[in-house]
Amino acid sequence: MTKSSSSSTVIKAEKLNLDFETNDGVVHALRDLDLEIEAGEFVSFIGPSGCGKTTFLRVIADLETPTAGSIAVNGQTPDQARLARAYGYVFQAPALLSWRTINRNISLPLEIMGLSRAEQQERVERTINLVGLDGFGGKFPWQLSGGMQQRASIARALAFDADLMLMDEPFGALDEIVRDHLNEQVLQLWKKTGKTICFVTHSIPEAVYLSTKIVVMSPRPGRITDVITSDLPDDRPLDIRETPKFLEIAQRVREGLREGHADE
Amino acid sequence: MTNLQKLLNAAATLCGFYALVTGIGALSPALLVAAGLVIAGGLRLSPVLAGAWPGAWSIVMRSQFDLLISFVAAGAVLAALHDGMAGAVWAIAIAAWLHGWLAVEKTIADDARSMGHNWVVSLGVPLFFGFWLLFFWEALTIGLGIPTVLLPPPSMIGARLVSSTAILMADFRQTFLKAVLAGYAIGCGSAVLVAILVDRNDFLRRGLLPIGNFISALPIIGVAPIMVMWFGFDWQSKAAVIVIMTFFPMMVNTLSGLSAASVMERDLLNTYAAGYWQSLFKLRLPAAMPFIFNALKINSTLALIGAIVAEFFGTPIVGIGFRISTEVGRMNLDMVWAEIAVAALAGSASYGALSLLERRVTFWHPSYRTE
């Protein structure tokens, strides 16, 4: 199910390598990564810890610099893309500034980008509504539950309307029920906004439920072992997870993960 | 009643009996009334009487009565102080104190049970402590006839505070309003600015930090005379000493504060392509505020000490430090204590004001959060 009618490449990685120098020698965080992501796709990166899925996301965001190979974001270098505010990044933890209210946290990127007060307010209202936090804008982050905080951080990433969303295990620290709920919401957001989403997870059901494309990765060295295109229907109620189609894809992801482990 | 409360009550009552028995002929009427009150107050709390009139009695049981008894007895003792302290008077003094303690115990127990914050209790208890400290200071210095050169009674210091207000105000103005405030503002302000520079520049960090360490280790006693040579006798040289004293604590605290923002928060600002100044003002300085306030509080006491000590080394004929050093030489210890009281009040007031400000600014910090 490719949504994009005018299919354009958002991310293009070729022979991407990233090595970390550590005290125990060189760690190959990413080895010869080749990947293309089209506009409007929902791509999940799944794999065990140390497989480089977060590192790859950080390379896209220009928070890490690759040692070899090339990567383009919207046809630009990651550095240019970052300066052009091409993406919104959602971290593993909400990372909300505790001296700012939820409203002011959401408007933080807008302030930095120099939008007018009126524009800021309009966008904060719109995005806070999008993540279902109406009425909580005047609260401070520490007055909200973990799930609400993470929703606020998603609103913050949405506020400046970048076409690309990078989400690094955003729901990893939340309990199953809250997580299901937020997964549904993310899916709806994606449908409503048509953004390209890169989503790091280590939950197979989460990856299959959300994605149009699943990138299976394996560690030491971090590399891609399988890229699965999901043909689940657009409309995904939570109980789609019990259908044979879903389980079939999940099975393929599981096999990909196992394969990555087999050659250790 | 808890066991402690019972014990306090019993001890106070015994003291009352002792005073009445030993002093029945010698005590002043006021003291006799006080002794009677102490005994009556003690007996009213005995389980026998409380059982007899359970209803109406509960009002009389309240802690305010203990407090009243305690203050009446204390007043009677203070009034009789100059006539010499017999054993019976001491017994009443102790009984008064025990009753006061009992009142506080009861109030605190009630307060712990009730929800919310009671300002009367949280202000009243330290005031109460202060009162009894002064009471026994007064009673012991006068009752035991301690020479005023060693320790003047608080009443004498109080009288001096009232009679020498003009001198004290002039000294306060010179030492606190001029030297301390100027030195404190320059020292703390420049330290924050330098810390921001040092944080940005690795060369400064490596070069300036060790030198800053060295300067902070300088004994101010040694530096003060030099500052007087450089900046003259007036308050400027004292301000200079304060700048030296306060600079380093503020710089070190600001530096660690500037690195208090988490890696994730910095990454976040990076993803917005925020500039250096934007991330400084929107993230790093706010995150550093708890550290900065820590240094502001430390420095507020350091600054006062610095100004007073620096005045020992040359000053125009005004100032808290100047007055202390000259009045000691003239054996006017009440004046010395009065100056100490002024300095202590100024120090506590500025510390308190800083704490209040800190609560307002860093309300978000886990130690101040209110849900």
Side-chain angles (χ1 to χ4, degrees), chain B residues 28-242:
Chain B
S28 72
L31 281 170
L32 285 176
V33 170
L37 265 178
V38 165
I39 295 167
L43 288 179
R44 93 184 196 284
L45 294 179
S46 73
V48 186
L49 285 182
W53 301 286
W57 208 249
S58 65
I59 299 167
V60 187
M61 297 286 277
R62 294 171 68 167
S63 57
Q64 283 88 332
F65 279 92
D66 296 288
L67 201 62
L68 187 71
I69 293 167
S70 139
F71 282 137
V72 168
V77 171
L78 286 180
L81 264 183
H82 288 279
D83 308 332
M85 290 279 279
V89 185
W90 285 115
I92 293 175
I94 290 169
W97 168 59
L98 288 171
H99 255 294
W101 184 357
L102 178 61
V104 171
E105 280 291 331
K106 283 171 152 181
T107 316
I108 290 175
D110 287 344
D111 189 51
R113 269 196 300 273
S114 73
M115 299 289 284
H117 194 70
N118 190 342
W119 281 105
V120 178
V121 173
S122 60
L123 262 173
V125 172
L127 279 179
F128 178 86
F129 257 88
F131 170 81
W132 285 102
L133 191 72
L134 292 179
F135 173 80
F136 276 106
W137 180 353
E138 181 84 12
L140 288 170
T141 45
I142 295 180
L144 300 179
I146 293 173
T148 54
V149 170
L150 287 185
L151 187 63
S155 57
M156 193 175 164
I157 300 168
R160 182 55 98 163
L161 274 170
V162 175
S163 65
S164 305
T165 319
I167 295 178
L168 290 167
M169 262 315 289
D171 291 345
F172 172 76
R173 206 173 297 126
Q174 171 75 13
T175 304
F176 193 85
L177 296 185
K178 288 182 184 166
V180 170
L181 287 190
Y184 184 74
I186 296 172
C188 294
S190 61
V192 169
L193 294 181
V194 171
I196 290 171
L197 280 180
V198 168
D199 169 80
R200 198 163 190 197
N201 186 320
D202 203 38
F203 168 63
L204 284 181
R205 176 188 289 276
R206 287 161 194 240
L208 203 66
L209 263 189
I211 292 180
N213 260 315
F214 176 75
I215 289 174
S216 78
L218 292 180
I220 52 151
I221 309 282
V223 179
I226 298 172
M227 291 301 122
V228 172
M229 302 284 266
W230 286 4
F231 297 104
F233 279 103
D234 210 349
W235 60 270
Q236 288 87 346
S237 55
K238 284 72 198 173
V241 171
I242 296 170

Side-chain angles (χ1 to χ4, degrees), chain A residues 241-257:
Chain A
R241 293 180 298 188
E242 271 93 61
T243 61
K245 187 90 219 162
F246 186 96
L247 296 174
E248 190 186 301
I249 300 171
Q251 181 59 27
R252 197 175 148 198
V253 174
R254 194 167 289 118
E255 271 163 16
L257 288 171

Side-chain angles (χ1 to χ4, degrees), chain A residues 31 55 71 103 108 169 196 208 241 262:
Chain A
R31 168 73 63 85
T55 308
I71 176 147
N103 273 340
L108 175 70
E169 288 187 52
T196 313
V208 180
R241 293 180 298 188

Side-chain angles (χ1 to χ4, degrees), chain A residues 95-131:
Chain A
L96 299 163
L97 306 186
S98 39
W99 52 89
R100 285 174 166 246
T101 60
I102 296 299
N103 273 340
R104 301 248 300 130
N105 262 294
I106 297 174
S107 69
L108 175 70
L110 309 176
E111 278 172 35
I112 289 172
M113 293 166 199
L115 270 66
S116 72
R117 287 255 162 214
E119 177 91 341
Q120 286 181 26
Q121 200 185 345
E122 188 265 317
R123 288 191 181 212
V124 167
E125 270 164 28
R126 180 153 47 88
T127 42
I128 210 166
N129 181 275
L130 224 47
V131 298

Side-chain angles (χ1 to χ4, degrees), chain A residues 58 82 85 98 111-112, chain B residues 267 270 272 278 282 364:
Chain A
R58 290 174 64 84
R82 179 174 66 88
R85 281 111 183 193
S98 39
E111 278 172 35
I112 289 172
Chain B
D267 279 349
N270 262 335
Y272 301 147
Q278 283 177 321
K282 295 203 187 293
W364 49 271

Side-chain angles (χ1 to χ4, degrees), chain A residues 8 39 48 60 66 90 92 99 108-109 119 132 134 138 167 171 182 214 222 227 229 236-237 247 250 256:
Chain A
S8 62
I60 300 174
V90 180
Q92 288 175 7
W99 52 89
L108 175 70
E119 177 91 341
D134 319 64
M167 304 176 86
F171 311 136
L182 289 177
I214 302 159
V227 178
T229 307
R236 300 178 184 182
L247 296 174

